[in-house]
Amino acid sequence: NDLPGMGREDRLCLVFPTGPELAVAYLAFAVRCTVAPLNLFLRAEELDFEYDDLPCKGLVVQKAETLQEDEKAATTVAVAQARKKKIQIILQLVPSPEAAGLFFVEKHPAGKPLSGAKLGPPLESVKREH
């Protein structure tokens, strides 16, 4: 769950169907950055607003081949709007066929190659101000 280029205070949007993979991805990525799960079926203008309002630095979608037709169409809209907003970190989640909630993450064809320093151990990136 270490994403080069994503810092502790950066926002990562998860735009894929509700299910065990979403729950596990939320918990896994929340260790490293701020996570914003978005409704897969938001319209283009709603996604534009969310990407700007957060502001979104990265996007994770589910691999198209693992989705139903309506979900594929919605994912295409999410990725197109991310590209329009120049969001460079675009990843795709590939669910495991063996167990619900397990997956691996790879670069989406629309995303730029990941670059930047890794964060290192998660607890070392947390600051507590008293």
Side-chain angles (χ1 to χ4, degrees):
N1 67 350
D2 210 357
L3 300 173
M6 291 289 293
R8 182 95 178 118
E9 296 170 5
D10 292 331
R11 279 123 179 133
L12 179 69
C13 291
L14 305 179
V15 183
F16 49 91
T18 302
E21 290 80 14
L22 178 60
V24 173
Y26 181 89
L27 293 172
F29 291 123
V31 171
R32 295 296 186 177
C33 56
T34 303
V35 179
L38 300 178
N39 184 333
L40 175 62
F41 296 103
L42 290 176
R43 296 187 319 266
E45 57 273 7
E46 293 171 319
L47 286 164
D48 281 348
F49 172 79
E50 294 293 346
Y51 293 159
D52 286 339
D53 190 51
L54 288 167
C56 174
K57 186 170 182 181
L59 172 68
V60 180
V61 295
Q62 189 166 319
K63 189 168 186 166
E65 290 79 13
T66 65
L67 297 170
Q68 298 173 6
E69 289 305 314
D70 60 336
E71 296 168 336
K72 282 183 191 178
T75 297
T76 301
V77 171
V79 171
Q81 295 311 111
R83 291 189 64 184
K84 178 181 164 190
K85 294 293 180 183
K86 304 209 181 327
I87 295 169
Q88 296 189 9
I89 299 173
I90 304 176
L91 304 170
Q92 60 186 6
L93 177 143
V94 182
S96 167
E98 288 89 37
L102 296 182
F103 58 85
F104 68 91
V105 176
E106 61 188 19
K107 187 184 95 46
H108 188 280
K112 303 282 186 200
L114 297 179
S115 62
K118 292 189 174 189
L119 287 175
L123 293 179
E124 292 178 13
S125 66
V126 176
K127 297 177 186 171
R128 294 192 183 209
E129 308 282 329
H130 292 286

